[in-house]
């Protein structure tokens, strides 16, 4: 266990860089902020490179720290520097990023969520967490989607990234590969040709595409799907938040 009191410490500078995508890609690690997320990583046997905690947090959780992981006791102002929260809990972990690429030819059975240019990290985190709760196998981040390992997205996922597969891919490639493997691929659209989602029978092997918050699903992707669906609205709202819509759709379609 090593104590660090200065923001100018080289380790602190390296951890601070993990708040940026460039920094995460360079080190192939990202930061977990808060005991719940750190605990999820420990339980999932995630590859931890370091544990950082304030004096109080170290005393509270030391007994739960895994063997062989370097531990650093940090000053309170360092905790504030590492977190984008106003009042951080004061405990962090640096963990390995999973492989960001997976060949769609080697997909496994189950339900998959495809994200088409989803840009809000809070929405991304909510959808990954909901996919986990609904028993999905994985989430594919299509072109234009936000990095799921931004601090806000990581907080919103609440550790679900350790429970299902997250990968990056071109949905123009993934959709045909899924259909060739007898998966139904559902798009989501608001148009007269789309089908009421509540008229669709639940399935086991399928993919669901959720489109960009403002523009919806790419029309070129819509041409590749097995069927495009919509959620009927009874009130006066013109649309649903994409995270809410995804939750309704996932639970409706999942067998």
């Amino acid at each position: 266990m090593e104590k660090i009191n200065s923001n100018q410490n080289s380790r602190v500078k390296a951890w601070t860089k993990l708040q940026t995508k460039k920094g995460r890609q360079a080190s192939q690690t990202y930061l977990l902020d808060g005991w719940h997320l750190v605990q999820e990583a420990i339980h999932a046997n995630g590859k931890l490179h370091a544990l950082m905690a304030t004096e109080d947090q170290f005393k509270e959780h030391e007994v739960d720290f895994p063997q062989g992981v370097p531990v650093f006791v940090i000053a309170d102002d360092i905790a504030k520097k590492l977190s984008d929260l106003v009042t951080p809990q004061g405990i962090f972990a640096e963990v390995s990023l999973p492989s960001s690429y997976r060949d769609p030819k080697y997909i496994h059975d189950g339900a998959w969520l495809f994200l088409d240019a989803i840009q809000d990290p809070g929405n991304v985190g909510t959808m990954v967490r909901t996919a986990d709760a609904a028993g999905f196998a994985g989430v594919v981040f299509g072109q234009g989607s936000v990095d799921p390992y931004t601090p806000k997205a990581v907080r919103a996922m609440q550790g679900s990234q350790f429970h299902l597969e997250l990968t990056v891919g071109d949905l123009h490639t993934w959709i045909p590969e899924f259909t060739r493997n007898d998966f139904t691929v559902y798009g989501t659209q608001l148009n007269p040709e789309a089908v009421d989602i509540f008229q669709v029978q639940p399935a086991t092997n399928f993919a669901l595409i959720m489109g960009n918050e403002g523009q919806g699903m790419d029309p070129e992707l819509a041409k590749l799907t097995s069927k495009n669906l919509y959620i009927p609205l009874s009130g006066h709202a013109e649309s649903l938040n994409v995270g809410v819509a995804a939750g309704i759709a996932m639970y409706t379609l999942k067998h």
Side-chain angles (χ1 to χ4, degrees):
M1 184 266 290
E2 178 183 334
K3 288 190 176 183
I4 301 178
N5 294 312
S6 171
N7 281 329
Q8 300 306 310
N9 181 280
S10 60
R11 292 187 184 276
V12 175
K13 290 180 179 180
W15 293 327
T16 303
K17 290 179 181 178
L18 300 182
Q19 295 172 343
T20 68
K21 184 175 182 178
K22 182 179 179 181
R24 292 189 292 273
Q25 289 179 334
S27 68
Q28 285 300 293
T29 61
Y30 69 106
L31 212 59
L32 299 175
D33 183 349
W35 175 241
H36 172 71
L37 297 181
V38 173
Q39 192 175 39
E40 286 286 343
I42 293 171
H43 289 166
N45 294 317
K47 187 175 181 182
L48 277 69
H49 295 258
L51 286 161
M52 304 83 88
T54 59
E55 193 79 47
D56 289 344
Q57 288 293 308
F58 175 76
K59 291 177 181 177
E60 182 175 348
H61 299 294
E62 178 186 8
V63 67
D64 299 308
F65 289 170
Q67 296 294 316
V69 178
V71 177
F72 302 89
V73 175
I74 57 176
D76 289 348
D77 61 333
I78 294 175
K80 291 179 180 178
K81 185 176 181 66
L82 297 182
S83 177
D84 62 350
L85 296 174
V86 176
T87 54
Q89 190 176 348
I91 186 165
F92 308 84
E94 181 184 2
V95 296
S96 288
L97 285 171
S99 174
S100 62
Y101 176 77
R102 189 175 193 273
D103 192 329
K105 292 180 180 179
Y106 303 105
I107 56 174
H108 54 82
D109 289 351
W112 290 74
L113 179 64
F114 290 176
L115 303 183
D116 174 31
I118 301 295
Q119 297 177 344
D120 182 86
N123 285 334
V124 162
T126 296
M127 287 189 278
V128 170
R129 187 179 180 186
T130 306
D132 176 20
F136 272 50
V139 180
V140 181
F141 291 78
Q143 293 175 328
S145 292
V146 71
D147 179 0
Y149 298 101
T150 63
K152 185 176 179 180
V154 170
R155 282 199 304 276
M157 287 191 290
Q158 284 293 297
S160 284
Q161 71 269 30
F162 298 113
H163 307 154
L164 73 175
E165 187 168 347
L166 304 186
T167 189
V168 175
D170 184 348
L171 298 185
H172 295 85
T173 302
W174 278 75
I175 294 171
E177 197 62 48
F178 267 51
T179 55
R180 275 194 291 271
N181 282 275
D182 297 322
F183 279 64
T184 302
V185 180
Y186 297 111
T188 47
Q189 276 192 323
L190 280 176
N191 68 39
E193 296 179 0
V195 176
D196 183 338
I197 194 170
F198 299 121
Q199 303 302 315
V200 177
Q201 291 296 314
T204 301
N205 296 331
F206 68 91
L208 168 68
I209 307 169
M210 299 304 300
N212 173 266
E213 291 92 339
Q215 304 299 319
M217 186 175 64
D218 181 348
E220 293 303 312
L221 295 180
K223 296 175 182 177
L224 301 175
T225 62
S226 310
K227 190 178 293 184
N228 293 314
L229 311 175
Y230 72 92
I231 299 172
L233 304 178
S234 301
H236 298 293
E238 293 183 356
S239 62
L240 292 168
N241 167 273
V242 68
V244 173
I248 293 170
M250 283 188 273
Y251 273 94
T252 300
L253 296 172
K254 185 76 165 61
H255 197 302

